[in-house]
Amino acid sequence: MRTSLCRDILDLFLRCRTHALILLLAFAFGGASLSFADTRIVNIGPGSAHSFQDTVSGTSTTVIRKGDTVQWNWISGFHSTTSGTCSGACTSNGTWDSGQHAATFSFSFTFNQVGTFPYYCSVHLASMTGVVVVRPAPGPFALEVAPSGFSLVPTKTLQFSASRVFFRGGASQSTFSENITNQVQWSSSNTSIATVNPSTGLVTAGSTLGPVTITASKGPLSASVQLTVSSAVVLNSITVTPANAHPLLSVGTVTYTATGNYSDNSTQNLTGSVTWASSIPGVATMTNNVATLVAGGTTLISATSNAGPTVTGSTGLQVVVLSSITVTPASQAVVVNAGPVTYTATGNYTDGSTQNFTGSATWASSNTLVATMTNNVATLVTAGSTTISATQGLTGSTGLQVVPVLAVSPSTITISVLQTQQFTPNLPVSWSIDGVGSGNNVSGFVSNSGIYTPTIMSVGPVHTITATTLSPPAQTKTVSIQVNAPYGGTLTYHNDNGRTGLNSHEAILTPANVNMNQFRLLFNIPVDGKVDAQTLYVPAVNIPNQGIHNVLFVATEHDSVYAFDADTGTQYWQVSMLKAGESTSDNRGCDQVTPEIGVTATPVIDLTMGPNGVIYVVAMSKDGAGNYFHRVHALDLTTGAELFSGPKDVQASFPRIGGTAVFDPKKYKERPGLLLLNGKIYTAWSSHCDAGPYTSWIMAYDEVTLAQTSVINLTPNGDGGALWNAGAGLDADGSGNIYGLTGNGTFDTTLNGNGFPNRGDYSNAFVKLSSGGSLSVTDYFTMSDTVSESAADTDLGSGGGLLLPDMTDALAQTRHLIIGAGKDSRIYLLDRDNLGKFNPNNNNGNAYQVLPGALPGGIWSMPAYFNGNVYFGAVGGPIRAFHFSNALLSTSPTSHSSHNFGYPGATPSVSANGTSNGIVWVTENSSPAVLHAYDATNLANELYNSNQAPGNRDSNFGDGNKFITPTIANGKVYVGTQNSVGVFGLF
């Protein structure tokens, strides 16, 4: 290597005719290594940080040499490396731009200029910047002194210069030089011939003629040139101007001037006497002193003297052409609603100069469905990708990605603590809740896929869930969720002992999402008989060996009781209420319940009884000998196993004048739903049509022993008075009082001294019973025309009563009211503290309020209550809403459905979240059955019905059944049919 280096130095020496001798550093001959171009690594996003990190400095500052390359490696995140500065806003200077990329991408740039180059990330802007400092190339290096071989007339001066020159790869020509004239020590070999300023290099010729050596020294470096002091004036050099011109090709020509520089410090215009030449005619040709520009490139324009010693002067000429157009901002991603994007076009020339083409370029978008261009302004249209181009001779372009506005659904929701909620974004996102990442026990937890799981501690407050886009541009969207305490379940007919039909803990179904586009028939559960009893629902039941599930309990007229998964329809158990050798009862010649009678009454559930909770069921059957039975069953909720030594046969008797009334099982069916009150199960009994003789029975059974504890007959000395009530159960208030509506039959119009029927017969009446000790009547009401109504079979027993929440009247008095209706089309509103008894002469003035003719067609159903409104479904009419004010009912409906319901009308149920999002649900007895949903605030607004969706999507879930009451629980609606249960919900 040393030999090669020496040959390079010799070659350099031989070629130095107008420049000084160049001497290399002495240590270069001692084995100094030659330096080649290096590559420096800068990591982007190390450790998920938004930063640039040089692998040498460990900071965002990179120091390299001219000719070195920087390679940026993406470690994490979505970033760019873009040359430019950030002073407030960030501005690209077009030197380099990687574009925006994700992890594992790499980008390299070679720096061929000394200087400082700031840069930034176009995603994170001023918060993520770096700088590259480019220093001169490393050695080997040497010292060069100029001019060389000049003459000087005595007393004249000549300025000498010293430069430090650098080499690459052992090349003999310098690749970079640095002027150090004022940093070297100057000396003259003969001060009588010429002196030199030791600091500045200015030489003054003396009076002595002859050659002299001028030397510049700096440390181990030195270089010398020869100067001749002579009285003869000679041409030392020629200066060609303009120097180092870089005209555009379009300029056409450049005119040069040659100036001769003489040893007496004089100059002379030699333009017309020298020979002109271009080193590369393909770039420029010379005609005398005029250069004609041919093509882009670099050439040397020279002027050579034609007299005396040959002296040549030259200068560089770079013919500049447009090399590219840079369009900024580069590779941008913007949100579609971000507004117009303004672009700049910069022309880049071969000499490194630039020109703003923004106003003169022709602009275009490759996909006008995504963005359109008006001059340099892009108007965003819709999400997608397009290329924005600027054309002026050449075309420059950049990518534009228009992304949708981040949306998350649902935006607001309330759920039960037993549920989870899927949030769905339209873009890839990360999730956080309440500013604590994925969550904690107080907030609940949100998964990477957007599924929110509540905790018991998250119940109550509104929680904020934030979605943040994973790709730029950065967007966030917040949604809110509130967690309610778990819904306790539908454990009895019409939800509670007041028979309001209200589930006020329904957080999922709302008027906004119950429509055919979001709500549908999810699945159908087949069963073995008619479902006349309302389905019951218990959340979070621990089924043996199958875990915790929400469970739906279904009883059929085929004497079966089922437990199904309420969310999937999976069957957990099925048990028969029949004993060996028994079958279900025939219809007893009555088409009210046909073709068989098994479980007709809605069961009742006590979660506190037995090891796992108990469902109480009354079932009818018969044996091969034609004997009929009713039995009270207590079944384990998790297995269906019989408990408490059950079942127990229903038998009863009650004293009457002159004898005893005896309960005959074959004459009755248990139609009203069971009532659970203070540890007792209460049953009420219907006849088969009006096939007499029959009377009015209510019985109580101990829920632990199943022993009968009390019996009352409400027509012991007459007949009739059965309790059908369209399946509605007896009512009970908080004081332990029981209320029932009896059917047509005997009412003793002769009253005793306390205003009660003297023979104890209470047909066609509201009856209030005391449940303390033996059952006994404590109050009653019957209408003035009760006898004629019974004779015409227009009695109360076809409907069910509803206990209203406490109300305050216009005199600020608290009222405890019961409401009910029957076949006579009247609505009866009674004061439970004084029902009114009987007065044949005052046209029902003994009642608290009566609305005659309010329900044309009559009632074979029961009402529902929500938020100051009561909802009735009369035969052949619409669902009607009546509103309470000052504890009185509006005299006409405040709203009604547009659809009319045939026989037997309809019993509504209501779902709501507290006092909001009320929905009135109604099942229509048709073939097939139809489920309707109405806005509880305005029944004219039908939200959904199962016939709406095209292609019979939701309509074929089964034929309708009389008196079916929908059950609503945790986002689903359950509807019994003649052979199945239809399950509806959101999808």
Side-chain angles (χ1 to χ4, degrees):
M1 179 174 288
R2 182 173 297 154
T3 302
S4 173
L5 185 58
C6 290
R7 284 200 302 268
D8 290 340
I9 296 171
L10 178 60
D11 177 67
L12 179 60
F13 176 77
L14 293 175
R15 295 197 292 150
C16 288
R17 301 184 62 185
T18 61
H19 297 283
L21 173 67
I22 299 176
L23 297 178
L24 292 176
L25 284 171
F27 63 78
F29 295 98
S33 62
L34 298 176
S35 178
F36 297 87
D38 291 327
T39 296
R40 178 68 59 82
I41 302 299
V42 176
N43 289 328
I44 300 182
S48 298
H50 293 167
S51 65
F52 300 101
Q53 187 179 76
D54 182 273
T55 54
V56 174
S57 69
T59 68
S60 60
T61 299
T62 300
V63 181
I64 59 172
R65 297 287 184 178
K66 179 182 176 184
D68 286 348
T69 297
V70 175
Q71 177 179 310
W72 287 270
N73 291 339
W74 275 247
I75 303 302
S76 68
F78 193 85
H79 308 286
S80 80
T81 168
T82 304
S83 63
T85 57
C86 289
S87 177
C90 293
T91 304
S92 170
N93 59 25
T95 303
W96 78 84
D97 189 352
S98 67
Q100 298 174 353
H101 299 281
T104 72
F105 183 76
S106 292
F107 174 80
S108 297
F109 185 79
T110 301
F111 291 83
N112 291 318
Q113 292 182 341
V114 174
T116 299
F117 299 87
Y119 64 95
Y120 62 94
C121 169
S122 63
V123 178
H124 300 98
L125 304 175
S127 65
M128 186 174 174
T129 61
V131 63
V132 178
V133 178
V134 182
R135 292 180 175 172
F141 45 90
L143 195 63
E144 182 181 68
V145 178
S148 173
F150 273 25
S151 290
L152 194 60
V153 173
T155 73
K156 299 300 182 181
T157 60
L158 182 62
Q159 179 65 55
F160 282 77
S161 65
S163 298
R164 180 164 46 196
V165 295
F166 299 84
F167 300 87
R168 275 201 177 276
S172 59
Q173 291 189 345
S174 62
T175 59
F176 177 76
S177 65
E178 180 182 8
N179 190 317
I180 57 172
T181 300
N182 295 327
Q183 301 175 34
V184 300
Q185 183 68 34
W186 294 92
S187 62
S188 169
S189 64
N190 189 334
T191 57
S192 64
I193 297 176
T195 60
V196 60
N197 185 310
S199 300
T200 66
L202 181 64
V203 172
T204 302
S207 57
T208 302
L209 304 179
V212 64
T213 300
I214 304 300
T215 301
S217 302
K218 183 175 176 61
L221 287 173
S222 66
S224 300
V225 295
Q226 190 175 42
L227 173 68
T228 301
V229 177
S230 171
S231 58
V233 177
V234 298
L235 179 63
N236 275 335
S237 64
I238 296 174
T239 301
V240 179
T241 56
N244 298 317
H246 48 90
L248 292 172
L249 178 63
S250 60
V251 169
T253 61
V254 178
T255 300
Y256 284 93
T257 299
T259 301
N261 305 298
Y262 291 86
S263 60
D264 63 351
N265 291 348
S266 65
T267 61
Q268 182 179 345
N269 190 329
L270 303 179
T271 304
S273 61
V274 296
T275 299
W276 293 89
S278 169
S279 63
I280 304 179
V283 174
T285 61
M286 295 300 297
T287 303
N288 297 323
N289 65 319
V290 177
T292 299
L293 310 183
V294 178
T298 301
T299 186
L300 193 67
I301 304 299
S302 62
T304 303
S305 62
N306 294 320
T310 300
V311 176
T312 298
S314 64
T315 187
L317 170 63
Q318 182 180 8
V319 179
V320 177
V321 293
L322 182 65
S323 60
S324 65
I325 295 176
T326 301
V327 178
T328 56
S331 302
Q332 196 172 29
V334 296
V335 182
V336 68
N337 68 347
V341 179
T342 301
Y343 285 91
T344 299
T346 302
N348 305 301
Y349 290 92
T350 52
D351 66 343
S353 64
T354 61
Q355 183 177 350
N356 190 326
F357 287 167
T358 303
S360 57
T362 299
W363 293 89
S365 167
S366 66
N367 188 346
T368 55
L369 296 178
V370 174
T372 60
M373 295 299 296
T374 303
N375 298 325
N376 64 317
V377 177
T379 299
L380 309 181
V381 179
T382 190
S385 296
T386 186
T387 298
I388 305 300
S389 62
T391 300
Q392 185 158 325
L394 299 179
T395 297
S397 63
T398 186
L400 173 63
Q401 182 183 8
V402 181
V403 301
V405 177
L406 175 60
V408 178
S409 62
S411 60
T412 302
I413 195 166
T414 303
I415 65 171
S416 164
V417 71
L418 300 176
Q419 297 172 295
T420 60
Q421 176 62 46
Q422 173 70 65
F423 287 96
T424 303
N426 61 336
L427 296 171
V429 298
S430 61
W431 299 92
S432 63
I433 181 168
D434 291 346
V436 290
S438 62
N440 55 31
N441 286 333
V442 174
S443 297
F445 297 89
V446 61
S447 71
N448 291 336
S449 59
I451 298 175
Y452 173 74
T453 302
T455 64
I456 193 64
M457 294 176 66
S458 67
V459 171
V462 175
H463 301 286
T464 299
I465 293 178
T466 302
T468 302
T469 52
L470 297 177
S471 300
Q475 297 186 73
T476 60
K477 180 69 176 179
T478 60
V479 295
S480 61
I481 188 166
Q482 186 171 25
V483 181
N484 280 348
Y487 175 52
T490 304
L491 308 181
T492 190
Y493 178 81
H494 233 205
N495 297 81
D496 50 56
N497 284 353
R499 312 305 183 187
T500 63
L502 172 63
N503 171 11
S504 62
H505 291 81
E506 179 50 55
I508 298 175
L509 300 177
T510 70
N513 61 28
V514 174
N515 55 71
M516 71 173 181
N517 297 316
Q518 296 172 268
F519 182 86
R520 66 168 296 169
L521 176 68
L522 299 177
F523 53 90
N524 208 25
I525 304 173
V527 292
D528 63 5
K530 281 188 175 181
V531 181
D532 280 329
Q534 182 179 354
T535 57
L536 301 180
Y537 177 98
V538 180
V541 178
N542 191 357
I543 303 295
N545 303 315
Q546 302 199 58
I548 296 176
H549 301 273
N550 300 323
V551 178
L552 185 73
F553 296 91
V554 181
T556 74
E557 295 289 1
H558 199 62
D559 266 332
S560 289
V561 178
Y562 295 84
F564 295 103
D565 189 302
D567 300 310
T568 66
T570 300
Q571 180 177 310
Y572 294 126
W573 53 259
Q574 174 191 4
V575 294
S576 176
M577 303 296 96
L578 299 172
K579 287 189 175 182
E582 291 185 344
S583 64
T584 56
S585 170
D586 57 273
N587 67 10
R588 299 295 296 142
C590 173
D591 63 359
Q592 288 176 339
V593 180
T594 191
E596 60 182 344
I597 304 175
V599 180
T600 307
T602 300
V604 69
I605 293 172
D606 190 339
L607 298 176
T608 67
M609 293 302 295
N612 305 300
V614 176
I615 180 169
Y616 295 92
V617 181
V618 173
M620 186 175 185
S621 61
K622 70 176 181 178
D623 63 17
N627 299 308
Y628 291 83
F629 305 91
H630 294 282
R631 296 188 181 96
V632 179
H633 300 257
L635 308 178
D636 186 286
L637 279 185
T638 64
T639 65
E642 292 274 4
L643 299 175
F644 312 140
S645 301
K648 295 294 178 68
D649 286 2
V650 174
Q651 299 174 340
S653 61
F654 192 79
R656 62 186 304 173
I657 296 173
T660 301
V662 178
F663 179 81
D664 183 353
K666 67 178 178 291
K667 292 186 176 183
Y668 299 93
K669 58 179 175 283
E670 217 288 35
R671 183 69 184 101
L674 302 186
L675 170 67
L676 171 62
L677 179 66
N678 297 330
K680 303 292 191 299
I681 305 297
Y682 291 89
T683 66
W685 298 85
S686 315
S687 65
H688 301 289
C689 295
D690 272 331
Y694 65 89
T695 53
S696 180
W697 295 91
I698 296 175
M699 307 173 194
Y701 291 84
D702 187 284
E703 67 170 331
V704 176
T705 65
L706 303 186
Q708 190 178 83
T709 60
S710 184
V711 174
I712 191 171
N713 192 311
L714 297 175
T715 55
N717 298 300
D719 59 20
L723 297 101
W724 287 279
N725 308 129
L730 298 168
D731 304 293
D733 63 22
S735 299
N737 299 301
I738 298 173
Y739 302 83
L741 278 66
T742 59
N744 57 300
T746 303
F747 179 81
D748 304 323
T749 57
T750 301
L751 308 180
N752 64 22
N754 294 319
F756 290 88
N758 66 339
R759 292 167 59 86
D761 298 318
Y762 292 90
S763 291
N764 197 25
F766 285 80
V767 179
K768 177 179 179 180
L769 305 172
S770 170
S771 63
S774 297
L775 288 166
S776 61
V777 177
T778 60
D779 200 0
Y780 75 97
F781 165 83
T782 189
M783 63 288 300
S784 302
D785 55 350
T786 183
V787 174
S788 61
E789 281 202 355
S790 285
D793 194 19
T794 55
D795 54 276
L796 283 172
S798 59
L802 187 154
L803 303 189
L804 295 162
D806 291 354
M807 297 182 181
T808 302
D809 66 15
L811 299 177
Q813 182 177 350
T814 299
R815 294 291 186 174
H816 310 109
L817 304 176
I818 181 173
I819 193 169
K823 301 174 187 176
D824 63 7
S825 302
R826 303 167 185 162
I827 296 177
Y828 295 93
L829 182 63
L830 306 178
D831 186 340
R832 302 199 307 265
D833 299 328
N834 179 13
L835 290 178
K837 299 187 175 63
F838 171 64
N839 187 330
N841 301 314
N842 68 350
N843 194 26
N844 299 323
N846 51 324
Y848 180 80
Q849 184 184 12
V850 177
L851 299 183
L855 301 171
I859 285 292
W860 275 258
S861 59
M862 79 160 293
Y865 175 85
F866 168 66
N867 212 21
N869 298 284
V870 65
Y871 305 90
F872 283 94
V875 174
I879 306 300
R880 295 177 173 91
F882 296 83
H883 184 69
F884 283 95
S885 178
N886 295 327
L888 289 172
L889 199 62
S890 60
T891 57
S892 60
T894 53
S895 69
H896 62 81
S897 68
S898 60
H899 183 77
N900 293 325
F901 292 78
Y903 178 80
T907 293
S909 293
V910 181
S911 66
N913 187 8
T915 58
S916 63
N917 293 330
I919 301 175
V920 177
W921 301 88
V922 184
T923 302
E924 183 176 358
N925 179 28
S926 56
S927 181
V930 181
L931 173 66
H932 296 260
Y934 297 97
D935 184 341
T937 64
N938 180 11
L939 295 178
N941 180 18
E942 184 175 37
L943 306 173
Y944 167 87
N945 72 64
S946 55
N947 283 340
Q948 287 176 334
N952 297 321
R953 186 193 70 186
D954 301 341
S955 60
N956 293 321
F957 64 94
D959 288 340
N961 214 14
K962 286 193 305 183
F963 313 131
I964 286 302
T965 303
T967 298
I968 306 96
N970 283 338
K972 293 184 175 63
V973 181
Y974 304 91
V975 181
T977 74
Q978 295 197 20
N979 56 10
S980 67
V981 176
V983 181
F984 294 76
L986 300 178
F987 67 98

